[in-house]
Amino acid sequence: PSGPTDTHPQHCSPRAQRAPQQRDTADLKHGLTEIIDYWVKKVGESPEKEGGGRAVRGAHAKTFGVVRAEVEILSEVPAAYAQGIYAKPGRHDALIRFSSSSNHLGPDAQLGPVVGFAMKMFDVAGTKLVDDEPDATTFDLVLKNSPTFIANTAKHYLFIEDIGDRVGDYLARGRTGFHQLLADYLTGKGTLEQSGWAWEELFAFVKTAAETQVRNPLQGTYWTMASVRHGDHLAKVRVAAVAESAANVIHRRLDLGNGPDVFGPALVDELRARAFDFDLQVQLCTDLKAMPVNDTTVEWPEKLSPFVTVGRVHLPRQDITTANPEQADALAFNQWRVTSEHRPLGEIMDVRRVYSESARIRREINNQPQREPVSADEVLSLPGRE
């Protein structure tokens, strides 16, 4: 591990962030109700609208692959970083779901280059913060290949989700449609006063669209985007492909125009050929103004606080086509399936509690069990690893 030592005097504490975290609780409660209604309706309509006859996730609808992994929590990590589950060196079996961030199914070229990396670790002790299964022994990290999110408030989240759901309709109208998309994004589809226009969200959207490149998923870096508690500190978490692993990929360049499915077949080829590794890293907050909790459109500067490696995520060589399709589809990932030492922070993380309701509706429609798996072997057909 590299970076500041555990005696660094300026790490932000969970107590320090309480004041800037507060916003109008009535507006947040109303916004959450609207968002839950929106997601329930969307997931309920998805069997017909997505054309597959099955309910799909309200976000990250298309799976590229479900991968067996092992997470090693490292020893000799500086104390400020060895917090919560990272304080005890050891190994955990895990599953990783690579997915498109789009809320639709379809060709990869249409869905775009933003990729999700959702990881479920097994045999993690402690009460979890999800309401439905507090005694589950799983622990989730829900990451994406972008360091920032594209909404800061529940109010903005709702209209941005709706615009994102209709991106194809906007772009089908060419330049005129694209201009309308930007105008609707900025003004909340005409609902916002000019003083409250979503400038930060629009800039984050444009930056993400401009900077997110089509990459082999095994060469990427994936962030929490929003902040989380890290024991006595505030943090963001990411996984980053180890340079040596990334250099060994077969598919160095992906062309999404080569067919409807590009990311998934590339994952199959890579993991049949060799193992891959990611570093599990933590960035601690050192300045609440430069590294805000609520403004998820702001990237925390690494010059103020570098990411420090606390673990290694190992993906063994494997055939990911052997996963049980029904069990893999039933997996649910939630930012709140963590212990209190890693509590999600800020308004957008509160908004993302709706993942539980989305998973419940989806599983109900698909006649899937409403529970967490107890092991990777329960989901995958072949338990062996190399």
Side-chain angles (χ1 to χ4, degrees), residues 122-343:
F122 295 93
D123 296 320
V124 177
T127 301
K128 307 309 186 297
L129 300 181
V130 288
D131 295 330
D132 51 349
E133 285 191 281
D135 297 326
T137 57
T138 47
F139 183 105
D140 291 352
L141 285 175
V142 184
L143 315 175
K144 193 161 68 174
N145 63 340
S146 172
T148 59
F149 197 60
I150 54 175
N152 285 327
T153 69
K155 183 177 182 179
H156 287 151
Y157 179 92
L158 186 60
F159 74 73
I160 289 171
E161 277 292 303
D162 188 55
I163 291 171
D165 190 45
R166 305 171 191 274
V167 164
D169 297 335
Y170 283 104
L171 299 183
R173 292 186 282 130
R175 182 185 294 268
T176 299
F178 180 63
H179 289 169
Q180 187 63 54
L181 184 155
L182 296 179
D184 285 351
Y185 210 107
L186 177 63
T187 67
K189 300 169 70 175
T191 64
L192 302 177
E193 297 291 336
Q194 186 171 350
S195 60
W197 281 357
W199 287 109
E200 289 78 12
E201 283 83 356
L202 180 61
F203 292 151
F205 168 74
V206 172
K207 186 173 185 288
T208 298
E211 294 183 357
T212 305
Q213 301 177 348
V214 176
R215 299 190 70 184
N216 188 313
L218 295 172
Q219 291 181 302
T221 300
Y222 303 86
W223 291 261
T224 54
M225 300 175 288
S227 56
V228 298
R229 181 176 177 178
H230 189 72
D232 296 329
H233 309 287
L234 308 181
K236 290 188 178 182
V237 179
R238 76 179 185 187
V239 296
V242 172
E244 183 179 355
S245 287
N248 287 330
V249 297
I250 301 168
H251 300 281
R252 297 184 180 277
R253 293 186 179 181
L254 299 184
D255 182 354
L256 299 190
N258 283 343
D261 300 308
V262 176
F263 288 118
L267 279 172
V268 171
D269 287 350
E270 301 290 357
L271 290 165
R272 277 177 174 164
R274 61 179 55 84
F276 286 85
D277 291 296
F278 289 82
D279 283 329
L280 175 56
Q281 302 178 319
V282 171
Q283 180 188 33
L284 296 183
C285 173
T286 58
D287 181 338
L288 277 170
K289 290 184 178 180
M291 309 168 81
V293 169
N294 254 320
D295 297 329
T296 58
T297 55
V298 175
E299 183 175 0
W300 287 7
E302 290 188 51
K303 66 181 181 181
L304 294 182
S305 179
F307 280 91
V308 172
T309 299
V310 298
R312 178 64 60 91
V313 182
H314 177 69
L315 284 59
R317 187 165 68 89
Q318 61 194 280
D319 181 359
I320 64 174
T321 64
T322 63
N324 182 318
E326 183 70 17
Q327 292 283 4
D329 182 58
L331 287 172
F333 297 89
N334 193 314
Q335 289 88 346
W336 288 84
R337 191 171 287 112
V338 294
T339 55
S340 60
E341 297 95 335
H342 304 282
R343 181 184 182 88

